[in-house]
Amino acid sequence: MSGISDTGIVAAAVLAVAGALLLIFSAYGVPPMDDTYIHLVFGRNLMLSGQLEFNPGLPSSGATSPLWVALSGPLALTGGQTAVTLLMVLSLIAGTISLLLAGSVYSSLLLLSGPLLFHGPSGMETSLAVLLVVIAWRSVSRSRPPGIGQGLLLAAMLITRPELCVIAIPLLFSAGRPDLAQTAKVLLPPAVVGILWVSWNVWASGCPLPSSFYAKQAGAVGFGLLAGLRGLCREMVIVSPLLGVTGLAGIYHLLRRKCPLGLFSLVPLTSLLLQPNSFFQMRYHVPGLVVLGLCAAGVSCSWKRWMRILIVLSLLPGLLVFGSRRVRASANVLSIDTRPALYLAEIAGQGDTVAAADVGAPGWLTDLYVIDLDGLVTPERNPCRRVRGWSWIRERADYLLAFPEQYSDLLRNARPDLVHLRSFETEDNVICGESRVGLWDVLP
C-alpha cells in the first residue's frame, strides 16, 4: 500500500498497543469475555493435576484451545487479577507479533479493520490463532517445500482453533504438487495431536469434539445459519465496508493465478460455516478477517493511489467502533460476570455448588463447584448427549446464576425451588448477550 508511509503505520500500531496496555491496567482490569477466565481455570487445573478439567477431579471436553490452556497454565498459578493481566499481555504480544510479521502493507489493513484491535489484548486464543495464520501465510508465500516444520505449525493450529486445519491445503501445495513423503511430514503431526485430543474428548464426555462445538451448532442450520450470516455481514459492511470487497477481489486474483495463497480463502469460509454467531461473538471470525486483509493488501498494491487511500479510510470506522466496544465490553463483563462471582464468593459456604450460565468468573473468582447450564464444562450436561433438566440441577446446586430471558424455560420449571437473592445489571450490553443476570438460592 505504497503512498502510506511506514512511519505512519508504525505510529498507528504503537498507539493501538499503548491503548490496549492502558486498558489492561485500567480500573476495570477485566477481559472483555468470560472465556478468558475459563482458560485460566483450565490452565490452573492443568498445572495442578495434569488433566484438562474445569472442576477439580472431573475431566472435561470444554477446553476448545488446549495450546492456549497450556500457555495459560503457568500464568494462572500467579492467581487473581495478576494472572488475568498477564494473560491479556501475552495475548497482546501475540497480536503485536502478528502485525510485525505481516509487514507494514498488510498490518495496516489487519489493524485498521478493528476486530484484531478488539480481541488482541483479550486474553483469549484469538491473537495466537492470528499469529499462526500469519506465519503460515509467510511460509506459503515463500514457496518453501512442505516439511516437518509446516506439520508442527499445522498441529499447533489444530489445538488452537480446530477449524484452522484447512490451512493444510495451501501448506501442502506451497511449492507445487507434494510427493508422498512431503504429505506425510505435513499431515502426521496434526494427525497424532488430533487423535490424542479426540481420545481425550471421548474419554471425558463420550463425544469426539469439544463440547462447545455441539452447543454452537444448535443454531447453525437453516434459518439460524442465515440469520447469523446476515447479522455478521450487515455489521461488517457498516464498520469496514470495503474489506470484504477487496478481500474477495484479492482471493479471486490469487486463485486466478493459481497461487496457493488463494486457498487461504478456506479459513473465512470455514469460520462462517462452523461459527455463524452474531456480531458480538466475532472472535471466531478474526482469523478469517485477517485472511481477507492479507488478500486485500496483495491485490490493492496494483490499484491507483486514491483507491488505496479510500480503502484505508473505509476501515477507520471499524477502528473507532471496535476501540469503543473494547472499553465498553470490559465494563459489561465487570457488571454481569465479575461482580456476581465476587458476591457469591462472599456469601457461599465451603463446598457449595453454583449452576451458572457464564461459568468462567465463578470458576476463577470463587472456590465453588460449578455446573454449566450449557453443559460446556459439565460432562453430564454435555449438549451432544441427553441434556439433564432442572430436577438434576436442583439435587446438586446451592445457587443458580442465570440470564432471565435466555433461560426463561429453565426458570419457569425451577421457580418453586428458588429464592431470589439479587440481580446485577449493565448499562451497556455489549458482550454478554443480556443486560441483567439474576442470582437465586436453591431451596433444599
Side-chain angles (χ1 to χ4, degrees):
M1 195 164 288
S2 58
I4 301 173
S5 68
D6 288 354
T7 302
I9 293 170
V10 171
V14 169
L15 288 174
V17 171
L21 283 172
L22 286 174
L23 179 68
I24 290 173
F25 293 103
S26 69
Y28 290 134
V30 180
M33 287 187 71
D34 184 62
D35 298 53
T36 301
Y37 289 126
I38 294 177
H39 284 117
L40 285 170
V41 175
F42 271 111
R44 177 186 61 196
N45 291 339
L46 178 65
M47 296 295 293
L48 297 177
S49 69
Q51 296 195 92
L52 288 173
E53 54 186 28
F54 190 85
N55 291 301
L58 182 65
S60 170
S61 66
T64 55
S65 183
L67 181 57
W68 191 244
V69 167
L71 295 175
S72 305
L75 305 182
L77 294 181
T78 63
Q81 187 59 39
T82 299
V84 174
T85 301
L86 290 175
L87 188 59
M88 294 170 71
V89 170
L90 180 62
S91 177
L92 177 61
I93 290 172
T96 304
I97 294 174
S98 301
L99 294 174
L100 295 175
L101 288 180
S104 61
V105 171
Y106 301 102
S107 61
S108 61
L109 286 168
L110 304 188
L111 174 64
L112 292 175
S113 60
L116 182 59
L117 175 68
F118 185 105
H119 292 283
S122 67
M124 295 180 293
E125 80 288 348
T126 308
S127 289
L128 177 60
V130 169
L131 175 58
L132 294 174
V133 168
V134 171
I135 292 174
W137 177 275
R138 285 171 59 92
S139 175
V140 174
S141 65
R142 293 173 179 175
S143 300
R144 291 180 175 176
I148 192 66
Q150 285 88 340
L152 294 174
L153 175 62
L154 190 60
M157 286 190 282
L158 177 65
I159 55 175
T160 299
R161 284 281 185 83
E163 63 268 25
L164 295 183
C165 64
V166 296
I167 293 180
I169 299 176
L171 285 175
L172 279 171
F173 291 92
S174 59
R177 187 184 297 273
D179 58 30
L180 184 60
Q182 292 172 332
T183 302
K185 289 177 181 179
V186 173
L187 298 184
L188 186 59
V192 172
V193 169
I195 290 172
L196 291 175
W197 193 10
V198 168
S199 299
W200 171 266
N201 291 332
V202 171
W203 182 70
S205 66
C207 306
L209 299 176
S211 55
S212 63
F213 176 86
Y214 303 97
K216 295 183 186 304
Q217 291 310 297
V221 294
F223 293 111
L225 173 60
L226 293 177
L229 294 182
R230 282 200 305 269
L232 177 68
C233 294
R234 181 180 64 249
E235 295 285 355
M236 281 306 298
V237 166
I238 293 173
V239 298
S240 301
L242 295 183
L243 178 63
V245 175
T246 53
L248 291 175
I251 290 171
Y252 173 77
H253 176 70
L254 292 168
L255 291 175
R256 188 177 180 183
R257 291 172 48 204
K258 297 184 179 179
C259 177
L261 291 173
L263 297 173
F264 274 78
S265 58
L266 293 170
V267 177
L269 177 62
T270 304
S271 66
L272 285 174
L273 292 177
L274 294 182
Q275 307 286 355
N277 305 81
S278 55
F279 190 55
F280 74 93
Q281 289 278 17
M282 187 168 281
R283 74 182 178 107
Y284 296 105
H285 303 287
V286 173
L289 293 173
V290 165
V291 167
L292 288 179
L294 292 169
C295 294
V299 72
S300 64
C301 289
S302 62
W303 292 359
K304 294 181 179 180
R305 181 178 178 181
W306 69 267
M307 297 176 69
R308 295 195 296 269
I309 294 176
L310 180 62
I311 292 171
V312 171
L313 292 177
S314 75
L315 297 174
L316 291 179
L319 186 68
L320 298 174
V321 168
F322 281 102
S324 171
R325 290 192 179 192
R326 177 63 176 81
V327 176
R328 291 157 54 207
S330 288
N332 190 192
V333 172
L334 180 65
S335 300
I336 294 296
D337 289 332
T338 304
R339 284 176 177 158
L342 293 174
Y343 180 71
L344 266 173
E346 294 178 2
I347 66 172
Q350 186 175 5
D352 281 353
T353 297
V354 58
D358 284 349
V359 299
W364 180 249
L365 299 174
T366 78
D367 295 324
L368 297 174
Y369 187 94
V370 180
I371 295 175
D372 189 346
L373 293 179
D374 292 332
L376 304 184
V377 301
T378 305
E380 296 92 340
R381 286 184 54 81
N382 193 297
C384 76
R385 305 166 67 181
R386 183 176 63 87
V387 176
R388 299 176 183 270
W390 170 247
S391 59
W392 183 89
I393 298 173
R394 181 188 58 199
E395 295 174 358
R396 293 161 176 80
D398 301 287
Y399 299 95
L400 175 66
L401 182 64
F403 298 110
E405 295 180 13
Q406 295 180 41
Y407 296 89
S408 57
D409 291 341
L410 177 70
L411 289 172
R412 191 178 303 110
N413 295 329
R415 192 73 62 190
D417 305 310
L418 301 178
V419 175
H420 184 260
L421 296 177
R422 188 172 172 181
S423 292
F424 300 83
E425 298 186 7
T426 180
E427 296 180 357
D428 199 356
N429 182 28
V430 179
I431 206 89
C432 295
E434 196 167 325
S435 60
R436 182 167 62 95
V437 65
L439 177 65
W440 291 268
D441 188 13
V442 180
L443 296 175

